[in-house]
Structure formats: structure tokens, C-alpha cells
Amino acid sequence: MLDAPVPADEGARMAALCGLNILDTPPEERFDRITRSAQRMFDCPIALVTLVDSERQWFKSRLGLDAPETPRNISFCGHAILRNFPFVIPDAAADPRFADNPLVLGPPHIRFYAGIPLRADNGALVATLCLIDRVPRGFSDDDIAALCDLAQWAELELNVYTIRQATRVSREKEARLRAIVEHAGDAIITIDDQGLVETFNPEAQRLFAYRPDQVIGAPFSVLIARHYRAAIGAYARALARDGMGDGVRINRQVVGQRSDGSRFPANLVASEMHINGRRAFTGLVRDISARRRNADEMKRLNRRLAETLSLQHAILNSSNYAIIYVNARGQVIMFNDGAQRMLGYSEAEMRTQSSLLVLHDPVELDARVHALSIELGRPIRPGAEVFIAKARERLPDESEWTYIRKDGSRLPVLLSISAVWDGENALSGFVGIAQDISERKKMENMKNEFISTVSHELRTPMTSIKGSLGLLAGGAGGEIPVRAKVLLDIASKNCDRLVRLINDILDVEKIESGNMRFEPVVQPLLPLVEHAIAATNAFASPFKVSFDLRSENGDLMVAADTDRLIQVIVNLLSNAAKFAPPGGVVEVRLLRQPGYARLSVADHGPGIPDQFRSRIFQKFAQADASDTRPKGGTGLGLNISKAIIERHRGRIDFLSECGVRTEFFFELPLAA
């Protein structure tokens, strides 16, 4: 199970969550209305509005679920808040991240999950609107769009407290703005040719806090800050004496002073006029305090923005992960310092590359094209589509690749690719995050080498033991008592079992290390099936099971390694024989499919339990893992078979209905 990771911005995210003032509050109809709508719209048994706390996921609204909260580390919503786009799990039991999750194996038995992350007003992802079903189901783009619409509603309700705060502040600002609008206009003051105030309009009264009778007849300089009065007085007298000239205006900043002695910055626009042959002046004074405060605030915001961008840049470039972002047209927009250190290319070099394929092994790319075509059920074109096909469909895409550095050296990485969607849900690009797994690979190689060495060392003495037991049973050491023969038979059978286990382990090691040799030859598939049935008849005889082989007319030609493909067929036949009812018939069918040959092996035994289906191709997988299980086997056969079929560019899978029928099948490309 993959625990829900902790986001890098967890501190800020928790601060935003607490700021909503909604954790551990009683149920509210405004949220229940949303989950009811989601439940009806999608015909889904469980709908939740979930807040992801530091240690838990807490349900503000829950329909179809009794528990008020569950631990965060096993939560699906803890994964959903890691990315700013829908998180959909069509079948949790088939997803290795969740297949063994307690919420999947136990109540509420999650099989389907669809969650839309919800943001606080600062953009932090703090909650989800999610749907849960106890059976797998598909979820189309239209479904996602509809759920996103409901999520926007939930997000609005989630932020209603902060919205009220913002509304109150906005209303206060609006009231101030209305007051300014209602008293629009500059302070208008007229001055005679002696520099004395003649008129003083209402805006001037408001601005300077003087009554007209306190100012009219007084020198204009009384409205100027004391420190500047002498200079302004001399300037006013010079203007009164010499004038400004026709059409000339003076525009300058001054420091005004009110009746209470307080000062303010002001903009003064003065012009000359003539009344009855006498020179006079008009001054328009505007308080620019707010403008200066706004300028200072803008500078402060710009500094904060620059600091934030610098911090983000530092975080991205200090990471040991290679982070590459390309836009929707495939242009490299970001190639962080981690990528440059890891791969040896500069960002400028990668922006000139026509694609990122230069970083990849062509053989891996070809194999990925084939595997992805089978996985998605449609042909995948070679090229960039190999990397973005799953992400474009909003599917998780994390796989191992071999990067080729600028110097030609190779580096194993775990590459996770995600699509980036803008605010209008339009695709804007793709981001790939690569982690160096060379150390992990070294440890795996050491483990595999150890297993291989031990297995090889065990094979020789086991062969000697088996031979000695055979000689004893054959009377080479004299007549053996009946009870001793029974013990020898038990020892011989267990020796055979150990030899099979050792051989299977060695096969697994060869597959994982890439050392298993395949020599494909174009040949008909039917003779291989007949050979495998003949080789399995002796095994099936104690179970009183027979094989019924039917094949379509015509040879189905495939390119196959004879021994390895027979190994797969024998494994499927022997498994079916073990689990078929006594006296039963195992149905073997060879069919032609468009471009493929399909071999199926079906029995009418107990079937495969639901909880085991996602693990059936894993190593050492046994539906009954107890020491007393009635059927033998190493639990490696299907794992080996899967690897062999995939090396043949085919696929292997199964269908099962408990108590009715189980069918294993593989498909191989038809040879030209």
C-alpha cells in the first residue's frame, strides 16, 4: 500500500485549512445539499466533502458512510490533494497503490474513487468532493466535468467564511470610494496679486480643515507646511509681481498643512488669470497621500512577488529530482537544475531539442509503444505519444526508464508524468518528475545475485539427493521395508518440489536480469499445444482430469521460443488440472483473433477469490497461503508465464466466476 504523501507546502496548507474555521463543526445543509446532488447525479452510494487534516481525513458532509473520519495515511483524498486536477481510480483492487489498502479490503470496500481537490482562498489544496463505489466503474470526461462543476460549488461554500471577511473589507473600501466620488473635485483656491487667499471652496475646506473665514484674506502660505512657508511665500510674491505668462501652468508637488498641524503630500496646479485688469491666480490642490501609499504598497507587493518567485525557483532547482515541463505544443519550458545535474544538458540545449526522445533508449521506446497499446486498447504512435497518452486521459503514469546522459552514460530512473490543466480545464502542458533509482537497482541486483548464487549452489546437492533417493527406492541398497519406502517416497516428492522451486527461482532471476535467452522461430501454435498436453497428461492423471483440445481451421503461425512457450502452456494446463473437479474436463481452445492467436485454458473448479485477483501474477502468490493448502505449487509459475508472454510481445490474463468457471488465456501476434 502506498501511504498518502505529505505535500511540500504542508505548513501553509494546514494554516489555510485552519483559517476556514470549519474543522469539527456540526453538519450543515449547505454541504449536504451538494453531496445529495452528487449522489443522485452519479447514482453513487457514497458522496463526501472531505477535509484533509494533519493526521486524518474528516468528513464535513457524508452520505452513505457512517465513520466521521479515517486516518490520513490510508486515505484516497490524501492522494487527491497532491495535484490540482481530478483524481480517479476506476478499480482500486487493480491499482497497486491501493489494492491492499484497509479501506479496499475492509469497510467501506472501496473499488471506485473519483475526487476533485478543493482550494482555500489562497490556492492551497485542503479538501475534496469525492464519490465512492463498492464496484469498479468507468468515469468519462463528461462525468469529470460535471463533478468539477459541483466541486466549484463546494469550494465556494468551503470559503464562505473568508468570503465574508473579504466582502466586509470590500464594503469598507467601497464606502470610502463612494465618499470620494460623492465629494469629487479638487480643492480650488484663488489668490490675489498680493498672495492672499480670496476664495476657498468646500473641497478645500474639507481638505485643509479650515472654515472660509479662517483662511480668506490670509497668505496662501498658511496652507503649506511650516518648513516650506518662507520659500513658497517668496515664490508666490514673485509670481504676483512678474506673472506666469499666458497659457503657462505650474505643476508641482508640495506639502500641505491642515488647521490641526497635520501634513500631507499634495499636487498643486496653478494658473494665472486676470480680473478687471488685476492679476490673480487659481490653485487646484489634490491630496496625493493615497497615491503615495498605493505606490508604496505596489512596491511592497512587487518585492513579495519577487521573493515568492525566487523561493519557488530555489525550491525547484535545489531538488534532486529532474523536473521537466513542456507546453501543449511539446516545447521545453522548464528544465530544472536537478535535471541539468542528472543528465548533463543545459536548459538552453534542451529547449533547442525537437523532442525529449534523445534522453531515451530506442529499444525501451519500442517496447513501451507495444505495451501501452495493449494496456489502453488502441494503437499508440511512436514518439511523444508514448509519454503523454496516459496523462492526457488523466491516468496515473509512473514507470521505470533508462535515461541516456549527454556523455552517453545510462541512468535508471522512476519517471512520473502528469498533465497540467488551466483554470478553464484546458490542457496546457505536461510535467515529468524523474528520480534516480540507480542505488535501488544496485540493491536489487545484489539481492538477485545472492538468490541466483544460492539457487545454483542448492541445485547440485539436490540433484545428488534425488538420485540417491531413487537408487534406494530401486533397491540399490538392499530390500527396503514397506514403511521405509513410504518415507522415501515422501522425501522424493519433496525433493522434486524443491528442485521445481529452485528452477522457478532461477527462471525469475534470469527474467529480471534480462539473461533469459529467447530464440523465436516462426511455427504453428497447435503442435506446441499438443506437445504440452502430452507432457501434462501424467500430471493430470491422479486428478482424473482430461483435456479437450479444439482449434480453428488453419495454422496459426507465431514467432515463438518453443521451450519457453511450452513451459507457459504446461503451467496453465497443470494449474487447471489441479483445480478442476475430479473427473472433470479442462477445455483448451485455440482461436484466431484480428492480428492475434489466442489460446485459452478453462476449468470448472472453485474459481479465484476477488481479493486475490489483483495479485495473481505476482511472485509467490497463492490464493490459499496456509501450510495446509490442498494444492501444491511455488507461486511463481504465473509470474514466469506473464514475463515469457510479454517477451513474446503478447499479453496474458484471466476471467473467473467463483464456483463456475476459470479461464486463463494468452494472445500472441500472428506471424506475417
Side-chain angles (χ1 to χ4, degrees):
M1 183 190 76
L2 177 64
D3 284 1
V6 177
D9 62 341
E10 181 65 2
R13 194 192 70 82
M14 282 302 301
L17 175 60
C18 294
L20 296 175
N21 294 295
I22 200 171
L23 278 171
D24 299 309
T25 57
E28 296 181 59
E29 176 61 18
R30 60 194 179 100
F31 288 101
D32 293 342
R33 189 179 300 115
I34 298 171
T35 50
R36 280 198 304 271
S37 299
Q39 193 180 52
R40 287 194 297 265
M41 183 181 298
F42 296 97
D43 191 25
C44 201
I46 300 174
L48 306 168
V49 173
T50 306
L51 276 67
V52 182
D53 201 351
S54 58
E55 300 293 336
R56 59 178 177 155
Q57 58 172 1
W58 178 79
F59 309 123
K60 175 60 181 174
S61 176
R62 64 184 193 276
L63 291 183
L65 188 66
D66 294 328
E69 62 183 50
T70 55
R72 174 176 174 177
N73 67 308
I74 64 173
S75 70
F76 284 59
C77 295
H79 293 268
I81 64 165
L82 298 177
R83 51 190 66 78
N84 196 14
F85 53 84
F87 184 66
V88 179
I89 305 297
D91 186 357
D95 193 314
R97 297 171 298 175
F98 303 105
D100 57 345
N101 189 296
L103 301 179
V104 176
L105 300 179
H109 299 288
I110 298 174
R111 290 297 295 277
F112 166 81
Y113 173 90
I116 308 296
L118 305 180
R119 295 165 294 188
D121 62 338
N122 67 348
L125 301 179
V126 297
T128 67
L129 171 64
C130 64
L131 300 172
I132 291 173
D133 206 338
R134 297 182 178 91
V135 296
R137 60 189 288 176
F139 210 61
S140 68
D141 288 347
D142 288 342
D143 291 334
I144 291 173
L147 189 58
C148 285
D149 288 341
L150 289 177
Q152 290 182 359
W153 179 12
E155 196 171 89
L156 182 64
E157 293 293 347
L158 194 69
N159 288 282
V160 70
Y161 177 80
T162 51
I163 290 173
R164 285 171 181 166
Q165 284 183 314
T167 301
R168 184 171 63 252
V169 172
S170 177
R171 285 174 178 170
E172 291 173 357
K173 291 182 177 179
E174 183 180 349
R176 288 196 295 269
L177 180 60
R178 189 181 302 113
I180 294 171
V181 171
E182 290 173 354
H183 299 85
D186 296 324
I188 302 174
I189 307 168
T190 60
I191 308 167
D192 66 13
D193 55 1
Q194 301 299 312
L196 304 178
V197 176
E198 287 189 330
T199 63
F200 201 67
N201 79 333
E203 179 62 20
Q205 298 170 37
R206 188 196 65 79
L207 180 60
F208 289 95
Y210 281 106
R211 298 190 311 273
D213 62 291
Q214 293 176 302
V215 175
I216 292 175
F220 171 73
S221 58
V222 300
L223 303 175
I224 304 301
R226 191 177 302 277
H227 183 72
Y228 303 99
R229 284 180 183 174
I232 292 296
Y235 185 66
R237 289 191 295 272
L239 286 178
R241 181 183 68 246
D242 302 327
M244 296 181 184
D246 292 338
V248 177
R249 279 190 167 191
I250 295 175
N251 189 330
R252 63 183 301 177
Q253 291 187 6
V254 296
V255 179
Q257 181 168 310
R258 301 181 180 90
S259 62
D260 61 2
S262 60
R263 300 181 177 188
F264 63 93
N267 192 72
L268 170 64
V269 178
S271 59
E272 183 178 333
M273 61 182 179
H274 296 269
I275 302 174
N276 298 324
R278 185 172 60 88
R279 183 182 286 125
F281 304 92
T282 300
L284 283 74
V285 182
R286 177 177 297 173
D287 184 354
I288 60 172
S289 301
R291 192 171 74 187
R292 284 197 175 180
R293 284 196 301 270
N294 289 340
D296 292 342
E297 179 66 11
M298 185 61 68
K299 290 179 181 178
R300 187 182 68 83
L301 291 176
N302 286 337
R303 284 197 301 270
R304 288 187 60 184
L305 178 60
E307 290 171 0
T308 301
L309 293 175
S310 177
L311 177 61
Q312 291 176 348
H313 185 74
I315 291 172
L316 287 173
N317 287 326
S318 64
S319 169
N320 287 326
Y321 293 88
I323 303 175
I324 305 172
Y325 175 71
V326 299
N327 62 18
R329 297 185 299 276
Q331 297 171 321
V332 177
I333 304 300
M334 184 184 74
F335 196 78
N336 78 328
D337 286 358
Q340 296 177 48
R341 290 191 298 269
M342 183 182 292
L343 300 170
Y345 290 98
S346 68
E347 186 175 60
E349 287 176 311
M350 292 312 298
R351 284 183 173 174
T352 61
Q353 297 284 355
S354 58
S355 71
L356 295 171
L357 299 180
V358 68
L359 302 176
H360 291 271
D361 185 332
V363 175
E364 281 190 354
L365 291 173
D366 290 342
R368 174 72 168 173
V369 167
H370 177 70
L372 201 57
S373 299
I374 293 174
E375 180 181 352
L376 298 180
R378 60 180 176 85
I380 298 297
R381 293 173 299 176
E385 188 71 10
V386 172
F387 302 100
I388 64 176
K390 294 182 70 174
R392 191 192 297 277
E393 296 182 15
R394 302 177 188 269
L395 297 174
D397 188 356
E398 186 175 77
S399 53
E400 293 185 8
W401 292 90
T402 302
Y403 268 163
I404 300 177
R405 297 185 177 102
K406 185 177 181 179
D407 62 6
S409 60
R410 293 171 172 259
L411 178 71
V413 298
L414 183 65
L415 177 62
S416 175
I417 300 175
S418 303
V420 179
W421 308 87
D422 63 18
E424 297 179 354
N425 208 30
L427 182 64
S428 60
F430 300 89
V431 62
I433 302 176
Q435 176 187 1
D436 180 353
I437 58 171
S438 53
E439 288 301 318
R440 192 185 82 185
K441 286 293 186 182
K442 288 180 182 177
M443 296 301 295
E444 289 178 355
N445 290 338
M446 290 174 62
K447 177 197 70 175
N448 292 336
E449 288 174 4
F450 173 76
I451 292 174
S452 176
T453 301
V454 170
S455 299
H456 279 292
E457 291 299 322
L458 285 173
R459 176 181 275 178
T460 300
M462 287 305 303
T463 302
S464 299
I465 293 170
K466 179 174 173 55
S468 299
L469 289 173
L471 290 172
L472 287 174
E479 186 176 352
I480 304 296
V482 174
R483 294 183 63 185
K485 284 185 177 180
V486 172
L487 295 175
L488 283 173
D489 185 54
I490 293 172
S492 180
K493 288 181 178 178
N494 280 281
C495 186
D496 289 340
R497 184 181 176 189
L498 283 173
V499 170
R500 287 196 300 273
L501 174 60
I502 291 169
N503 289 335
D504 284 349
I505 289 175
L506 289 173
D507 279 347
V508 170
E509 187 274 330
K510 288 177 183 177
I511 291 169
E512 291 183 345
S513 64
N515 292 326
M516 178 172 279
R517 295 182 59 189
F518 287 85
E519 297 179 359
V521 176
V522 176
Q523 58 187 305
L525 183 55
L526 180 59
L528 301 184
V529 179
E530 292 171 338
H531 181 92
I533 291 175
T536 315
N537 276 326
F539 175 85
S541 180
F543 299 102
K544 300 179 180 179
V545 171
S546 61
F547 298 102
D548 176 28
L549 171 63
R550 298 184 188 181
S551 173
E552 290 188 348
N553 293 331
D555 289 335
L556 300 179
M557 304 297 291
V558 295
D561 182 294
T562 302
D563 292 338
R564 291 303 178 186
L565 196 56
I566 289 176
Q567 179 182 354
V568 173
I569 301 170
V570 167
N571 180 263
L572 298 183
L573 293 172
S574 59
N575 282 349
K578 282 191 296 184
F579 291 99
V585 176
V586 173
E587 300 163 359
V588 185
R589 301 290 182 263
L590 192 54
L591 306 172
R592 181 186 297 273
Q593 302 286 342
Y596 291 91
R598 175 186 173 111
L599 176 71
S600 68
V601 178
D603 67 77
H604 296 275
I608 299 170
D610 289 343
Q611 63 271 21
F612 179 65
R613 294 186 182 191
S614 63
R615 299 184 290 114
I616 197 164
F617 289 107
Q618 295 178 6
K619 288 184 286 189
F620 300 106
Q622 297 274 6
D624 179 3
S626 66
D627 294 336
T628 59
R629 63 179 182 269
K631 310 297 181 184
T634 64
L636 291 171
L638 287 176
N639 177 264
I640 295 170
S641 297
K642 184 174 187 293
I644 292 173
I645 293 299
E646 288 178 351
R647 285 290 297 273
H648 281 79
R649 301 174 67 84
R651 78 181 188 101
I652 185 170
D653 209 338
F654 71 97
L655 303 168
S656 182
E657 184 177 354
C658 286
V660 179
R661 187 174 186 271
T662 298
E663 175 189 354
F664 276 84
F665 63 88
F666 65 75
E667 296 174 344
L668 295 178
L670 289 170

